[in-house]
Amino acid sequence: MLILGLIILGGCFSNLDEDGGHYDQRTNRYVYVRPKKVPPSGYSQKVTQPRPGKPQMIYGRAAKIDEDLKSIWVQIEDRPTYQMIAESLSKGNREDKERLLRLHLRYVSPLGSIVEPGLKRQWQDYTTQTFERQFMNRRVYLEIHYQPESRQLEGYLFQQVKQNGETEFFNLNRWMIEQGLSVFFEAGASSDEIKEYRTAQTLAKTQKAGLWNYQ
């Protein structure tokens, strides 16, 4: 029995990746078998375990758009960084096999902006295509705010752009409102954010961008 146990244990260890773990097909979770305080491959980003009221900026590749158009799945390039964030999230907000984190975008909801049911499918297709052209399969930056009750990440999506020789972060939540892809949902916004996003919405209305062309 001891020999059999050692054989099984040896087989498990032989399937471990460089960080001392493996993806469990039964639970759809990544498991550290021989965890270390700092895994061998190290952290590609300076991250800490998510905490309420302590936002962090992380980055990854925009990999998938949810059908609700209100959340984006982002692939984190290395396992240790992913695990540090994902361990606090619910099953519906992480995909361990592909290292995907789900970000629920604040203040926007493209489908929630359309009142007429008959237009929702058409609007979903149009908005999805616009998102794909703008940021899909590209590096994006996430300002994440952890929500312990729902065990999910809310926040903002950014792209890095160069303007006048300087690198800046381009706020994609605000961009969605400026392009008329969503109305501004003010719940939870600070006074400064309300001013900023209302200005973006006024611009969209003036230019009859997106959904405002049909109002």
Side-chain angles (χ1 to χ4, degrees):
M1 291 295 293
L2 178 60
I3 294 175
L4 179 60
L6 289 174
I7 292 174
I8 294 174
L9 188 60
C12 290
F13 282 172
S14 67
N15 292 325
L16 302 185
D17 61 21
E18 63 180 351
D19 295 316
H22 68 96
Y23 179 74
D24 190 332
Q25 298 282 356
R26 297 170 301 170
T27 62
N28 293 325
R29 288 292 181 97
Y30 181 87
V31 180
Y32 277 126
V33 177
R34 295 184 296 186
K36 295 184 178 181
K37 189 172 183 180
V38 178
S41 64
Y43 295 99
S44 67
Q45 305 179 47
K46 187 176 180 180
V47 295
T48 59
Q49 191 173 13
R51 291 285 185 270
K54 294 186 178 297
Q56 299 185 68
M57 184 73 85
I58 63 174
Y59 61 83
R61 179 183 65 86
K64 187 167 60 173
I65 303 168
D66 261 1
E67 287 189 3
D68 64 4
L69 303 178
K70 185 175 169 53
S71 49
I72 306 296
W73 291 85
V74 176
Q75 185 178 56
I76 305 303
E77 63 185 26
D78 71 281
R79 175 65 62 182
T81 301
Y82 169 83
Q83 290 296 134
M84 177 65 75
I85 302 296
E87 286 299 325
S88 300
L89 304 181
S90 67
K91 183 178 179 180
N93 289 288
R94 58 188 281 184
E95 289 187 11
D96 284 7
K97 189 173 184 179
E98 300 297 330
R99 305 185 309 280
L100 298 177
L101 299 176
R102 186 184 191 188
L103 178 69
H104 298 260
L105 300 171
R106 284 185 166 178
Y107 315 137
V108 295
S109 177
L111 284 186
S113 303
I114 301 298
V115 178
E116 178 59 47
L119 293 177
K120 283 187 179 290
R121 183 62 189 181
Q122 180 181 353
W123 187 248
Q124 183 183 41
D125 291 343
Y126 170 76
T127 306
T128 299
Q129 291 170 11
T130 304
F131 284 2
E132 288 174 346
R133 288 194 300 269
Q134 179 67 28
F135 57 77
M136 277 299 293
N137 293 314
R138 300 179 186 179
R139 173 172 284 194
V140 290
Y141 294 79
L142 296 72
E143 183 183 308
I144 57 174
H145 296 252
Y146 180 59
Q147 308 300 309
E149 297 83 5
S150 54
R151 296 178 62 200
Q152 68 182 28
L153 301 176
E154 290 184 1
Y156 311 85
L157 195 66
F158 296 89
Q159 283 180 308
Q160 269 193 344
V161 296
K162 283 193 174 182
Q163 292 186 348
N164 301 321
E166 295 186 0
T167 301
E168 299 179 359
F169 284 102
F170 181 65
N171 185 332
L172 289 167
N173 297 48
R174 185 182 62 215
W175 167 80
M176 293 176 195
I177 296 171
E178 288 177 343
Q179 297 298 310
L181 300 174
S182 173
V183 300
F184 171 36
F185 291 84
E186 297 187 8
S190 67
S191 57
D192 287 342
E193 287 175 322
I194 289 174
K195 182 178 180 180
E196 177 184 359
Y197 286 86
R198 279 183 179 175
T199 299
Q201 183 161 273
T202 299
L203 177 63
K205 287 181 178 180
T206 301
Q207 296 181 345
K208 292 190 177 297
L211 61 88
W212 301 109
N213 189 44
Y214 305 99
Q215 301 296 318

